Amino acid sequence: MNKQFFKDKKVLVMGLGRFGGGVDVAKFACDAGAKVTVTDLAPKEKLADSITQLKDCSGVEYRLGSHNPANFEQADIIVANPAVPNDNKFLEIARKADRLVTSQIGIFFELCPAVIIGITGTNGKSTTTALTAHLLKSRRQKTLDAPRTTHYEKVWLSGNIGNEPLLTILDQIGKNDLVVLELSSFQIEQLAQIQKMPTVALLTNLTPNHLDRYGTFENYCAAKENVFKFQKPVGSLPPVSIFNAEDKVAAEWFEKYSKDKNRICKKFSPEDVSDKILAGYTLPGRAYLSNLAAALAIARHFGVDDKSVTKRLPEFKALPHRLRLVATIKGIRWYNDSKATTPDSTIVALEAFEQPEIIIAGGYDKHIPFDKLGEKIAQKAKAAILIGQTAGKIAEAINKTQDSRHKTQVRFAGSLAEAVHKANELAVSGDVVLLSTACASYDMFENYEQRGRQFIELVRQLGDSL
């Protein structure tokens, strides 16, 4: 496959979405000379931002609000959004009609000339991905006769993290570049269909997530494991598989894959970070330290020395909506961790602070148990203000483990604005107020970013009212 392959083809983009993936595919296909149709179950008004981004792509047709089976039978190529399961009935219609079914990530792997580094896991993968690219940029070998493992030119950051779009940057990527991608389990499933994976793959950790799609934790793990199962050498470069030594499943996979003599297997843990490097790292908690250890494992593999790391690391800041300080108001620190969409990621956030915490949690129900989260909130939090579909379930989990010596106040709020107001009433100087919902946002917001932005605005309004 090459870009010319798409010229004059009928390309059906299934799932325009609101995160830019479908926009990227449509722009790429138009630029390649394809005849593009976009189909999405959402109505036009909900996709207005994405449609606006395609205003310069002439000839794009839209089939919104529903899917028409005829479109799937008549298209030459169907590019499915990662959120679309492989057994979707419309994709089955396309396959029965002998149409090519592919994905944004699949096209990228087919066409990308550079070495790809893929980072996946349940928690910490966005920070680890961004941090890896940041550290790799601290060293660029310029001599073309240097070993391939240490010679690289430009470093690209993309994938599920939502930075540069995958396909529209393809023409700019050179064979001596490195591409650092965050990969979701959905994207890994799509890559497994074409048996292509990153040359370097790293797993941050595994805890239950997306059980509304996978049913069981074991099925979710199996989807993630494909990132190692289908790794292959690239020329003389063996595949590199990197695992978290402190994660139970990852440690088991390290033992399994280290028996393969045709690959390089490595482990990482927070203890890999020297005090000298740590002195320049400002992100709180052991989980962020694990992210740094993971990024260091990759950077060191590509020849980045600790001196370069120490020099560049202080420039790295927490990503938006990931345990990021919004403001300090009257001695109260307000943190936005809207990206925490699983109980385990919220547990990590709670463990990052020693100060009294007031947590705002709750949202869309992905059918993940809240028992461990309830126990942690009961142990750590001064108060929990609960919102969304899961508010009752989280409250029940907290109350099950309440300790008479430390009683966490449990309050309910009908909106995020009400939750912020109640948190402000309860907080005193020295407290931390933490938006870390443990749930997806779809019951009240379009996505976690919208939820995080609203929280930031509400907190700033508090500061402005003083």
Side-chain angles (χ1 to χ4, degrees), residues 333-374:
R333 288 184 291 159
W334 295 77
Y335 279 86
N336 171 20
D337 193 35
S338 183
K339 184 64 168 64
T341 58
T342 68
D344 286 279
S345 54
T346 294
I347 288 170
V348 164
L350 285 163
E351 290 174 340
F353 301 99
E354 296 298 327
Q355 296 79 10
E357 295 162 296
I358 297 170
I359 184 170
I360 300 172
Y364 175 77
D365 193 349
K366 291 195 286 185
H367 306 295
I368 302 172
F370 293 109
D371 298 346
K372 288 197 299 181
L373 175 64

mmCIF file of all heavy atoms in Angstrom, residues 333-374:
data_model
loop_
_atom_site.group_PDB
_atom_site.id
_atom_site.type_symbol
_atom_site.label_atom_id
_atom_site.label_comp_id
_atom_site.label_asym_id
_atom_site.label_seq_id
_atom_site.Cartn_x
_atom_site.Cartn_y
_atom_site.Cartn_z
ATOM 1 N N ARG A 333 -5.321 24.124 47.146
ATOM 2 C CA ARG A 333 -4.827 23.779 45.809
ATOM 3 C C ARG A 333 -5.887 22.979 45.056
ATOM 4 O O ARG A 333 -6.375 21.961 45.553
ATOM 5 C CB ARG A 333 -3.526 22.985 45.914
ATOM 6 C CG ARG A 333 -2.336 23.837 46.348
ATOM 7 C CD ARG A 333 -1.057 23.034 46.354
ATOM 8 N NE ARG A 333 -1.060 22.031 47.411
ATOM 9 C CZ ARG A 333 -0.293 20.938 47.421
ATOM 10 N NH1 ARG A 333 0.505 20.690 46.402
ATOM 11 N NH2 ARG A 333 -0.340 20.099 48.426
ATOM 12 N N TRP A 334 -6.199 23.434 43.855
ATOM 13 C CA TRP A 334 -7.215 22.799 43.009
ATOM 14 C C TRP A 334 -6.516 22.088 41.849
ATOM 15 O O TRP A 334 -5.803 22.716 41.069
ATOM 16 C CB TRP A 334 -8.180 23.843 42.464
ATOM 17 C CG TRP A 334 -8.999 24.519 43.528
ATOM 18 C CD1 TRP A 334 -8.585 25.504 44.384
ATOM 19 C CD2 TRP A 334 -10.372 24.261 43.851
ATOM 20 N NE1 TRP A 334 -9.613 25.880 45.217
ATOM 21 C CE2 TRP A 334 -10.732 25.137 44.915
ATOM 22 C CE3 TRP A 334 -11.344 23.392 43.348
ATOM 23 C CZ2 TRP A 334 -12.007 25.150 45.472
ATOM 24 C CZ3 TRP A 334 -12.613 23.405 43.900
ATOM 25 C CH2 TRP A 334 -12.937 24.274 44.952
ATOM 26 N N TYR A 335 -6.732 20.763 41.738
ATOM 27 C CA TYR A 335 -6.080 19.955 40.705
ATOM 28 C C TYR A 335 -7.108 19.389 39.726
ATOM 29 O O TYR A 335 -8.152 18.868 40.130
ATOM 30 C CB TYR A 335 -5.306 18.794 41.327
ATOM 31 C CG TYR A 335 -3.952 19.173 41.867
ATOM 32 C CD1 TYR A 335 -3.809 19.672 43.151
ATOM 33 C CD2 TYR A 335 -2.801 19.020 41.089
ATOM 34 C CE1 TYR A 335 -2.570 20.021 43.660
ATOM 35 C CE2 TYR A 335 -1.552 19.368 41.590
ATOM 36 C CZ TYR A 335 -1.444 19.859 42.867
ATOM 37 O OH TYR A 335 -0.213 20.209 43.348
ATOM 38 N N ASN A 336 -6.783 19.494 38.448
ATOM 39 C CA ASN A 336 -7.610 18.936 37.373
ATOM 40 C C ASN A 336 -7.008 17.606 36.920
ATOM 41 O O ASN A 336 -5.936 17.562 36.326
ATOM 42 C CB ASN A 336 -7.675 19.921 36.205
ATOM 43 C CG ASN A 336 -8.341 19.325 34.971
ATOM 44 O OD1 ASN A 336 -9.076 18.345 35.060
ATOM 45 N ND2 ASN A 336 -8.073 19.913 33.817
ATOM 46 N N ASP A 337 -7.722 16.519 37.188
ATOM 47 C CA ASP A 337 -7.299 15.182 36.756
ATOM 48 C C ASP A 337 -8.451 14.522 35.994
ATOM 49 O O ASP A 337 -8.767 13.351 36.197
ATOM 50 C CB ASP A 337 -6.894 14.343 37.977
ATOM 51 C CG ASP A 337 -6.145 13.072 37.617
ATOM 52 O OD1 ASP A 337 -5.366 13.091 36.645
ATOM 53 O OD2 ASP A 337 -6.338 12.048 38.311
ATOM 54 N N SER A 338 -9.068 15.304 35.103
ATOM 55 C CA SER A 338 -10.245 14.823 34.383
ATOM 56 C C SER A 338 -9.951 13.604 33.516
ATOM 57 O O SER A 338 -10.850 12.837 33.190
ATOM 58 C CB SER A 338 -10.817 15.951 33.516
ATOM 59 O OG SER A 338 -11.995 15.554 32.861
ATOM 60 N N LYS A 339 -8.689 13.427 33.126
ATOM 61 C CA LYS A 339 -8.312 12.276 32.301
ATOM 62 C C LYS A 339 -8.397 10.966 33.080
ATOM 63 O O LYS A 339 -8.383 9.879 32.484
ATOM 64 C CB LYS A 339 -6.880 12.479 31.780
ATOM 65 C CG LYS A 339 -6.370 11.399 30.828
ATOM 66 C CD LYS A 339 -7.173 11.349 29.548
ATOM 67 C CE LYS A 339 -6.510 10.497 28.482
ATOM 68 N NZ LYS A 339 -6.386 9.079 28.817
ATOM 69 N N ALA A 340 -8.511 11.037 34.405
ATOM 70 C CA ALA A 340 -8.623 9.825 35.223
ATOM 71 C C ALA A 340 -10.014 9.228 35.029
ATOM 72 O O ALA A 340 -10.980 9.610 35.687
ATOM 73 C CB ALA A 340 -8.379 10.147 36.690
ATOM 74 N N THR A 341 -10.113 8.276 34.106
ATOM 75 C CA THR A 341 -11.421 7.706 33.759
ATOM 76 C C THR A 341 -11.581 6.268 34.244
ATOM 77 O O THR A 341 -12.494 5.565 33.821
ATOM 78 C CB THR A 341 -11.632 7.758 32.229
ATOM 79 O OG1 THR A 341 -10.570 7.050 31.588
ATOM 80 C CG2 THR A 341 -11.648 9.191 31.742
ATOM 81 N N THR A 342 -10.692 5.817 35.132
ATOM 82 C CA THR A 342 -10.814 4.497 35.745
ATOM 83 C C THR A 342 -10.592 4.634 37.250
ATOM 84 O O THR A 342 -9.891 5.559 37.705
ATOM 85 C CB THR A 342 -9.780 3.495 35.196
ATOM 86 O OG1 THR A 342 -8.459 3.894 35.619
ATOM 87 C CG2 THR A 342 -9.834 3.416 33.680
ATOM 88 N N PRO A 343 -11.137 3.715 38.051
ATOM 89 C CA PRO A 343 -10.896 3.769 39.494
ATOM 90 C C PRO A 343 -9.413 3.733 39.848
ATOM 91 O O PRO A 343 -8.972 4.456 40.745
ATOM 92 C CB PRO A 343 -11.626 2.527 40.011
ATOM 93 C CG PRO A 343 -12.721 2.299 39.021
ATOM 94 C CD PRO A 343 -12.134 2.685 37.693
ATOM 95 N N ASP A 344 -8.640 2.920 39.148
ATOM 96 C CA ASP A 344 -7.222 2.809 39.479
ATOM 97 C C ASP A 344 -6.471 4.101 39.220
ATOM 98 O O ASP A 344 -5.542 4.452 39.959
ATOM 99 C CB ASP A 344 -6.585 1.653 38.706
ATOM 100 C CG ASP A 344 -6.997 0.309 39.266
ATOM 101 O OD1 ASP A 344 -6.407 -0.117 40.264
ATOM 102 O OD2 ASP A 344 -7.917 -0.309 38.712
ATOM 103 N N SER A 345 -6.831 4.823 38.163
ATOM 104 C CA SER A 345 -6.149 6.083 37.898
ATOM 105 C C SER A 345 -6.485 7.113 38.970
ATOM 106 O O SER A 345 -5.634 7.933 39.346
ATOM 107 C CB SER A 345 -6.495 6.613 36.502
ATOM 108 O OG SER A 345 -7.887 6.718 36.325
ATOM 109 N N THR A 346 -7.692 7.075 39.503
ATOM 110 C CA THR A 346 -8.048 7.976 40.594
ATOM 111 C C THR A 346 -7.359 7.577 41.895
ATOM 112 O O THR A 346 -6.950 8.440 42.685
ATOM 113 C CB THR A 346 -9.579 8.026 40.762
ATOM 114 O OG1 THR A 346 -10.145 8.627 39.597
ATOM 115 C CG2 THR A 346 -9.991 8.832 41.987
ATOM 116 N N ILE A 347 -7.201 6.285 42.126
ATOM 117 C CA ILE A 347 -6.438 5.823 43.296
ATOM 118 C C ILE A 347 -5.012 6.376 43.239
ATOM 119 O O ILE A 347 -4.458 6.835 44.239
ATOM 120 C CB ILE A 347 -6.446 4.281 43.367
ATOM 121 C CG1 ILE A 347 -7.835 3.786 43.771
ATOM 122 C CG2 ILE A 347 -5.391 3.770 44.356
ATOM 123 C CD1 ILE A 347 -8.015 2.282 43.648
ATOM 124 N N VAL A 348 -4.416 6.338 42.057
ATOM 125 C CA VAL A 348 -3.066 6.893 41.868
ATOM 126 C C VAL A 348 -3.040 8.367 42.249
ATOM 127 O O VAL A 348 -2.117 8.847 42.915
ATOM 128 C CB VAL A 348 -2.615 6.689 40.409
ATOM 129 C CG1 VAL A 348 -1.411 7.574 40.083
ATOM 130 C CG2 VAL A 348 -2.269 5.226 40.162
ATOM 131 N N ALA A 349 -4.058 9.109 41.829
ATOM 132 C CA ALA A 349 -4.117 10.544 42.139
ATOM 133 C C ALA A 349 -4.248 10.779 43.635
ATOM 134 O O ALA A 349 -3.596 11.661 44.203
ATOM 135 C CB ALA A 349 -5.285 11.187 41.383
ATOM 136 N N LEU A 350 -5.090 9.995 44.290
ATOM 137 C CA LEU A 350 -5.257 10.135 45.738
ATOM 138 C C LEU A 350 -3.960 9.864 46.483
ATOM 139 O O LEU A 350 -3.662 10.494 47.502
ATOM 140 C CB LEU A 350 -6.352 9.181 46.226
ATOM 141 C CG LEU A 350 -7.796 9.581 45.909
ATOM 142 C CD1 LEU A 350 -8.732 8.392 46.062
ATOM 143 C CD2 LEU A 350 -8.252 10.716 46.815
ATOM 144 N N GLU A 351 -3.175 8.917 45.972
ATOM 145 C CA GLU A 351 -1.926 8.550 46.634
ATOM 146 C C GLU A 351 -0.814 9.570 46.416
ATOM 147 O O GLU A 351 0.231 9.497 47.058
ATOM 148 C CB GLU A 351 -1.467 7.171 46.146
ATOM 149 C CG GLU A 351 -2.361 6.040 46.637
ATOM 150 C CD GLU A 351 -1.984 4.690 46.039
ATOM 151 O OE1 GLU A 351 -1.298 4.699 44.979
ATOM 152 O OE2 GLU A 351 -2.373 3.652 46.609
ATOM 153 N N ALA A 352 -1.025 10.522 45.532
ATOM 154 C CA ALA A 352 0.022 11.491 45.198
ATOM 155 C C ALA A 352 0.170 12.584 46.245
ATOM 156 O O ALA A 352 1.151 13.320 46.225
ATOM 157 C CB ALA A 352 -0.264 12.113 43.832
ATOM 158 N N PHE A 353 -0.808 12.711 47.168
ATOM 159 C CA PHE A 353 -0.794 13.827 48.109
ATOM 160 C C PHE A 353 -0.806 13.339 49.554
ATOM 161 O O PHE A 353 -1.445 12.332 49.884
ATOM 162 C CB PHE A 353 -2.008 14.735 47.883
ATOM 163 C CG PHE A 353 -2.085 15.307 46.504
ATOM 164 C CD1 PHE A 353 -2.915 14.740 45.545
ATOM 165 C CD2 PHE A 353 -1.320 16.403 46.146
ATOM 166 C CE1 PHE A 353 -2.991 15.257 44.262
ATOM 167 C CE2 PHE A 353 -1.385 16.934 44.861
ATOM 168 C CZ PHE A 353 -2.224 16.359 43.928
ATOM 169 N N GLU A 354 -0.125 14.099 50.405
ATOM 170 C CA GLU A 354 -0.151 13.856 51.841
ATOM 171 C C GLU A 354 -1.157 14.770 52.535
ATOM 172 O O GLU A 354 -1.571 14.518 53.659
ATOM 173 C CB GLU A 354 1.241 14.082 52.451
ATOM 174 C CG GLU A 354 2.307 13.122 51.947
ATOM 175 C CD GLU A 354 1.990 11.670 52.275
ATOM 176 O OE1 GLU A 354 1.377 11.409 53.339
ATOM 177 O OE2 GLU A 354 2.334 10.793 51.457
ATOM 178 N N GLN A 355 -1.551 15.861 51.861
ATOM 179 C CA GLN A 355 -2.463 16.835 52.454
ATOM 180 C C GLN A 355 -3.901 16.299 52.450
ATOM 181 O O GLN A 355 -4.229 15.388 51.688
ATOM 182 C CB GLN A 355 -2.403 18.155 51.674
ATOM 183 C CG GLN A 355 -1.066 18.858 51.718
ATOM 184 C CD GLN A 355 -0.044 18.250 50.770
ATOM 185 O OE1 GLN A 355 -0.373 17.411 49.937
ATOM 186 N NE2 GLN A 355 1.202 18.668 50.913
ATOM 187 N N PRO A 356 -4.774 16.869 53.304
ATOM 188 C CA PRO A 356 -6.197 16.477 53.274
ATOM 189 C C PRO A 356 -6.789 16.714 51.881
ATOM 190 O O PRO A 356 -6.512 17.747 51.253
ATOM 191 C CB PRO A 356 -6.838 17.406 54.308
ATOM 192 C CG PRO A 356 -5.720 17.813 55.204
ATOM 193 C CD PRO A 356 -4.495 17.862 54.351
ATOM 194 N N GLU A 357 -7.588 15.763 51.416
ATOM 195 C CA GLU A 357 -8.108 15.825 50.057
ATOM 196 C C GLU A 357 -9.636 15.835 50.033
ATOM 197 O O GLU A 357 -10.284 15.103 50.789
ATOM 198 C CB GLU A 357 -7.615 14.628 49.242
ATOM 199 C CG GLU A 357 -6.114 14.619 49.023
ATOM 200 C CD GLU A 357 -5.599 13.246 48.606
ATOM 201 O OE1 GLU A 357 -5.700 12.302 49.403
ATOM 202 O OE2 GLU A 357 -5.102 13.135 47.490
ATOM 203 N N ILE A 358 -10.170 16.653 49.157
ATOM 204 C CA ILE A 358 -11.591 16.620 48.830
ATOM 205 C C ILE A 358 -11.667 16.206 47.372
ATOM 206 O O ILE A 358 -11.109 16.879 46.498
ATOM 207 C CB ILE A 358 -12.245 17.997 49.041
ATOM 208 C CG1 ILE A 358 -12.163 18.398 50.513
ATOM 209 C CG2 ILE A 358 -13.696 17.975 48.563
ATOM 210 C CD1 ILE A 358 -12.559 19.833 50.778
ATOM 211 N N ILE A 359 -12.325 15.104 47.098
ATOM 212 C CA ILE A 359 -12.332 14.575 45.733
ATOM 213 C C ILE A 359 -13.702 14.743 45.108
ATOM 214 O O ILE A 359 -14.733 14.553 45.759
ATOM 215 C CB ILE A 359 -11.904 13.084 45.719
ATOM 216 C CG1 ILE A 359 -11.827 12.581 44.265
ATOM 217 C CG2 ILE A 359 -12.821 12.210 46.557
ATOM 218 C CD1 ILE A 359 -11.188 11.220 44.121
ATOM 219 N N ILE A 360 -13.708 15.133 43.828
ATOM 220 C CA ILE A 360 -14.918 15.162 43.012
ATOM 221 C C ILE A 360 -14.823 13.983 42.054
ATOM 222 O O ILE A 360 -13.876 13.892 41.261
ATOM 223 C CB ILE A 360 -15.041 16.480 42.235
ATOM 224 C CG1 ILE A 360 -15.104 17.671 43.201
ATOM 225 C CG2 ILE A 360 -16.275 16.464 41.333
ATOM 226 C CD1 ILE A 360 -15.031 19.024 42.520
ATOM 227 N N ALA A 361 -15.766 13.048 42.145
ATOM 228 C CA ALA A 361 -15.688 11.817 41.351
ATOM 229 C C ALA A 361 -17.070 11.441 40.832
ATOM 230 O O ALA A 361 -18.091 11.926 41.309
ATOM 231 C CB ALA A 361 -15.098 10.679 42.187
ATOM 232 N N GLY A 362 -17.055 10.531 39.836
ATOM 233 C CA GLY A 362 -18.300 10.018 39.280
ATOM 234 C C GLY A 362 -18.485 10.407 37.824
ATOM 235 O O GLY A 362 -17.887 11.369 37.340
ATOM 236 N N GLY A 363 -19.299 9.638 37.118
ATOM 237 C CA GLY A 363 -19.542 9.915 35.707
ATOM 238 C C GLY A 363 -20.201 8.740 35.019
ATOM 239 O O GLY A 363 -20.974 7.990 35.623
ATOM 240 N N TYR A 364 -19.856 8.548 33.767
ATOM 241 C CA TYR A 364 -20.422 7.478 32.928
ATOM 242 C C TYR A 364 -20.002 6.111 33.456
ATOM 243 O O TYR A 364 -18.865 5.916 33.886
ATOM 244 C CB TYR A 364 -19.935 7.676 31.500
ATOM 245 C CG TYR A 364 -20.336 6.586 30.526
ATOM 246 C CD1 TYR A 364 -21.622 6.505 30.013
ATOM 247 C CD2 TYR A 364 -19.397 5.628 30.115
ATOM 248 C CE1 TYR A 364 -21.981 5.515 29.124
ATOM 249 C CE2 TYR A 364 -19.749 4.636 29.223
ATOM 250 C CZ TYR A 364 -21.041 4.573 28.724
ATOM 251 O OH TYR A 364 -21.379 3.583 27.842
ATOM 252 N N ASP A 365 -20.916 5.165 33.409
ATOM 253 C CA ASP A 365 -20.680 3.837 33.983
ATOM 254 C C ASP A 365 -20.095 2.894 32.935
ATOM 255 O O ASP A 365 -20.765 2.507 31.982
ATOM 256 C CB ASP A 365 -21.996 3.273 34.507
ATOM 257 C CG ASP A 365 -21.794 2.052 35.391
ATOM 258 O OD1 ASP A 365 -20.661 1.532 35.423
ATOM 259 O OD2 ASP A 365 -22.763 1.624 36.036
ATOM 260 N N LYS A 366 -18.805 2.509 33.109
ATOM 261 C CA LYS A 366 -18.151 1.535 32.230
ATOM 262 C C LYS A 366 -18.173 0.133 32.839
ATOM 263 O O LYS A 366 -17.462 -0.756 32.390
ATOM 264 C CB LYS A 366 -16.701 1.953 31.951
ATOM 265 C CG LYS A 366 -16.566 3.196 31.100
ATOM 266 C CD LYS A 366 -15.150 3.365 30.541
ATOM 267 C CE LYS A 366 -14.170 3.798 31.589
ATOM 268 N NZ LYS A 366 -12.825 4.083 31.007
ATOM 269 N N HIS A 367 -18.983 -0.034 33.900
ATOM 270 C CA HIS A 367 -19.171 -1.335 34.553
ATOM 271 C C HIS A 367 -17.879 -1.856 35.183
ATOM 272 O O HIS A 367 -17.595 -3.054 35.154
ATOM 273 C CB HIS A 367 -19.749 -2.363 33.565
ATOM 274 C CG HIS A 367 -21.004 -1.906 32.900
ATOM 275 N ND1 HIS A 367 -22.179 -1.676 33.585
ATOM 276 C CD2 HIS A 367 -21.270 -1.580 31.609
ATOM 277 C CE1 HIS A 367 -23.109 -1.258 32.748
ATOM 278 N NE2 HIS A 367 -22.582 -1.184 31.542
ATOM 279 N N ILE A 368 -17.107 -0.957 35.748
ATOM 280 C CA ILE A 368 -15.897 -1.322 36.470
ATOM 281 C C ILE A 368 -16.199 -1.239 37.965
ATOM 282 O O ILE A 368 -16.791 -0.266 38.424
ATOM 283 C CB ILE A 368 -14.733 -0.373 36.113
ATOM 284 C CG1 ILE A 368 -14.463 -0.408 34.612
ATOM 285 C CG2 ILE A 368 -13.470 -0.735 36.878
ATOM 286 C CD1 ILE A 368 -13.472 0.632 34.144
ATOM 287 N N PRO A 369 -15.802 -2.228 38.755
ATOM 288 C CA PRO A 369 -16.092 -2.188 40.205
ATOM 289 C C PRO A 369 -15.405 -1.007 40.890
ATOM 290 O O PRO A 369 -14.297 -0.607 40.515
ATOM 291 C CB PRO A 369 -15.514 -3.524 40.710
ATOM 292 C CG PRO A 369 -15.399 -4.392 39.508
ATOM 293 C CD PRO A 369 -15.135 -3.477 38.355
ATOM 294 N N PHE A 370 -16.055 -0.473 41.923
ATOM 295 C CA PHE A 370 -15.520 0.670 42.667
ATOM 296 C C PHE A 370 -15.055 0.289 44.077
ATOM 297 O O PHE A 370 -14.800 1.173 44.899
ATOM 298 C CB PHE A 370 -16.572 1.778 42.762
ATOM 299 C CG PHE A 370 -16.902 2.406 41.436
ATOM 300 C CD1 PHE A 370 -18.124 2.181 40.836
ATOM 301 C CD2 PHE A 370 -15.984 3.213 40.787
ATOM 302 C CE1 PHE A 370 -18.437 2.762 39.613
ATOM 303 C CE2 PHE A 370 -16.276 3.795 39.559
ATOM 304 C CZ PHE A 370 -17.515 3.569 38.977
ATOM 305 N N ASP A 371 -14.946 -1.007 44.371
ATOM 306 C CA ASP A 371 -14.617 -1.435 45.737
ATOM 307 C C ASP A 371 -13.288 -0.857 46.217
ATOM 308 O O ASP A 371 -13.205 -0.279 47.312
ATOM 309 C CB ASP A 371 -14.572 -2.969 45.812
ATOM 310 C CG ASP A 371 -15.912 -3.612 45.481
ATOM 311 O OD1 ASP A 371 -16.918 -2.877 45.468
ATOM 312 O OD2 ASP A 371 -15.961 -4.824 45.245
ATOM 313 N N LYS A 372 -12.231 -1.023 45.425
ATOM 314 C CA LYS A 372 -10.902 -0.522 45.830
ATOM 315 C C LYS A 372 -10.892 0.994 45.921
ATOM 316 O O LYS A 372 -10.257 1.570 46.809
ATOM 317 C CB LYS A 372 -9.827 -1.007 44.860
ATOM 318 C CG LYS A 372 -9.503 -2.475 44.950
ATOM 319 C CD LYS A 372 -8.180 -2.806 44.276
ATOM 320 C CE LYS A 372 -8.166 -2.480 42.811
ATOM 321 N NZ LYS A 372 -6.890 -2.818 42.148
ATOM 322 N N LEU A 373 -11.585 1.653 45.006
ATOM 323 C CA LEU A 373 -11.654 3.107 45.035
ATOM 324 C C LEU A 373 -12.370 3.584 46.291
ATOM 325 O O LEU A 373 -11.914 4.515 46.966
ATOM 326 C CB LEU A 373 -12.361 3.646 43.795
ATOM 327 C CG LEU A 373 -12.596 5.155 43.777
ATOM 328 C CD1 LEU A 373 -11.264 5.908 43.753
ATOM 329 C CD2 LEU A 373 -13.457 5.564 42.588
ATOM 330 N N GLY A 374 -13.493 2.936 46.614
ATOM 331 C CA GLY A 374 -14.230 3.313 47.821
ATOM 332 C C GLY A 374 -13.375 3.189 49.062
ATOM 333 O O GLY A 374 -13.397 4.055 49.949
#
